[in-house]
Amino acid sequence: MSDRYQVPPGVEIATQWAWRLLVIAAAGALGIWLLRYFSELTVPLAVALLGTALTINVVDWLNARGLPRLLSTFIVVITMLLAFFGMLALVGQQLSTQAGDLRSNVVEGISQVQEWAKDGPLDLSDTQIQGWVDNVKESIASSDTTILSRVGEVGDTVTHLVAGFFIALFASFFFLYDGQRIWSWVVALFPRTARARVDSSGHTAWVSLTAFVRATVIVAFTDAVGIALGAWLLGVPLTLAIGVLVFLGAFVPIIGALLSGMVAVLVALVAQGPWTALIMLLVVVAVQQIEAHVLQPFLMGRLVAVHPLAIILAIAAGVTVAGVVGALIAVPLAACLNGVVRHLVAGARDYQDEPEGEVDLGPDPA
């Protein structure tokens, strides 16, 4: 073949990279599609893994003190349920006792807005304000079918949540009780020559996940206490409910506590006016600054070794793929991948120079 028909080396290299990247992208897209298609199963399992990473050491500690592992697992799972429903009970108690006062504040706030619209710079007449109110009423009345469809969607969502809750509960129990055997079965699915590397990578990912969950709980608790304490000092209602919401929201690093803290600002605005809301906003921002400049670098940087930019990108990708659930799962997934990549890169030379070992995991699965 003539030299003038030969492919330049640069184009050949770019082509080889291009088809490999296309294959990787296609495999990733297929994996994401499968995860979303089976989301009613994969999301509860992911939540169960997060709960297991948080509590597995407690089960091991109780088991080491002489309690049977089955009993230790029951104790930890029941404690988790009591803590979860206890938080819900606190929120419900506050809502039932303070909702009436908050409703009165909302009505008063609407009246103040109407007075400001008439006497303030807008200088609106009663007829104009009433016309806007009538338009809102007509919009609500004309959307009965939409409201009914939304009610149906809410019913489906509640059903899925209940089913997911029980899947996560049972999965957490078996992960805590028999997690090592489950992992051994998973590793045994791989070829014998790859089992040692798969097993070590899995343990590295588990260490990263455990460190991430513990660091996140500390950060979430600090955010919840700081914002709830500020709300209590300012006399904002629903303090405990705000604290629980911030605690749960903080499991999405960096932005979760900020967004949930905005609820405290909104409650302060409705209940006590703009000046209290402004102070509440300053409290939320101050707590976020402490998290961003003290807790996140110290805990996430040292325990998990994930850069803040990687956390932001992971959250953005998770929101794009699966919404709020994706944002919750994206960062621990990034932490696990980061740990596995570091582990494989560090051991790449040893794997090349030495023969592959095998892990004694029992017979191959049928």
Side-chain angles (χ1 to χ4, degrees), residues 98-133:
Q98 300 184 22
D101 296 336
L102 190 60
R103 188 185 303 110
S104 301
N105 291 329
V106 170
V107 173
E108 183 180 353
I110 294 175
S111 300
Q112 292 177 357
V113 170
Q114 291 177 339
E115 293 295 331
W116 178 81
K118 289 193 301 181
D119 302 333
L122 296 180
D123 195 23
L124 299 177
S125 64
D126 291 335
T127 304
Q128 290 174 312
I129 296 176
Q130 187 61 42
W132 287 354
V133 173

Side-chain angles (χ1 to χ4, degrees), residues 232-249:
W232 178 74
L233 292 176
L234 292 173
V236 177
L238 305 177
T239 303
L240 290 178
I242 290 171
V244 171
L245 179 63
V246 172
F247 178 78
L248 297 177

Side-chain angles (χ1 to χ4, degrees), residues 35-352:
L35 290 175
R36 295 185 64 180
Y37 185 80
F38 294 103
S39 60
E40 295 180 12
L41 180 63
T42 55
V43 171
L45 289 178
V47 173
L49 280 175
L50 293 176
T52 302
L54 178 63
T55 57
I56 185 66
N57 282 351
V58 180
V59 175
D60 293 338
W61 183 83
L62 292 174
N63 187 224
R65 295 301 182 277
L67 287 179
R69 190 163 188 85
L70 182 61
L71 179 59
S72 302
T73 304
F74 267 117
I75 292 174
V76 170
V77 171
I78 292 174
T79 303
M80 291 173 58
L81 288 175
L82 290 176
F84 176 74
F85 286 109
M87 288 191 297
L88 293 182
L90 285 175
V91 172
Q93 189 271 338
Q94 276 218 322
L95 289 176
S96 63
T97 56
Q98 300 184 22
D101 296 336
L102 190 60
R103 188 185 303 110
S104 301
N105 291 329
V106 170
V107 173
E108 183 180 353
I110 294 175
S111 300
Q112 292 177 357
V113 170
Q114 291 177 339
E115 293 295 331
W116 178 81
K118 289 193 301 181
D119 302 333
L122 296 180
D123 195 23
L124 299 177
S125 64
D126 291 335
T127 304
Q128 290 174 312
I129 296 176
Q130 187 61 42
W132 287 354
V133 173
D134 292 339
N135 290 334
V136 172
K137 290 180 179 178
E138 291 177 3
S139 299
I140 295 174
S142 62
S143 60
D144 289 339
T145 57
T146 303
I147 293 175
L148 290 176
S149 64
R150 293 296 183 184
V151 170
E153 293 176 2
V154 170
D156 292 338
T157 302
V158 170
T159 302
H160 293 160
L161 286 176
V162 172
F165 172 79
F166 284 103
I167 293 174
L169 177 63
F170 285 107
S172 299
F173 177 83
F174 286 108
F175 287 160
L176 290 170
Y177 175 64
D178 213 13
Q180 184 57 47
R181 288 183 58 189
I182 296 174
W183 173 243
S184 298
W185 182 85
V186 171
V187 175
L189 295 174
F190 291 84
R192 286 186 176 274
T193 55
R195 290 178 188 175
R197 190 176 301 183
V198 171
D199 184 63
S200 61
S201 298
H203 282 87
T204 301
W206 184 252
V207 170
S208 299
L209 180 62
T210 303
F212 168 81
V213 173
R214 292 174 183 171
T216 302
V217 169
I218 296 174
V219 172
F221 181 76
T222 304
D223 289 341
V225 170
I227 294 176
L229 180 61
W232 178 74
L233 292 176
L234 292 173
V236 177
L238 305 177
T239 303
L240 290 178
I242 290 171
V244 171
L245 179 63
V246 172
F247 178 78
L248 297 177
F251 278 86
V252 179
I254 297 179
I255 64 172
L258 178 62
L259 295 179
S260 56
M262 290 299 102
V263 176
V265 177
L266 180 61
V267 173
L269 177 63
V270 171
Q272 297 186 347
W275 290 110
T276 303
L278 178 61
I279 298 174
M280 189 70 244
L281 176 62
L282 294 177
V283 171
V284 173
V285 172
V287 171
Q288 290 304 299
Q289 291 301 310
I290 294 174
E291 175 191 338
H293 294 91
V294 179
L295 295 177
Q296 289 286 352
F298 180 76
L299 295 175
M300 292 297 181
R302 294 190 179 185
L303 296 179
V304 185
V306 178
H307 195 277
L309 178 60
I311 294 177
I312 292 294
L313 294 178
I315 294 173
V319 170
T320 302
V321 172
V324 176
V325 175
L328 175 65
I329 298 175
V331 180
L333 179 60
C336 292
L337 290 176
N338 179 63
V340 171
V341 170
R342 286 171 174 266
H343 166 72
L344 293 178
V345 170
R349 182 171 299 176
D350 295 335
Y351 284 126
Q352 292 174 357

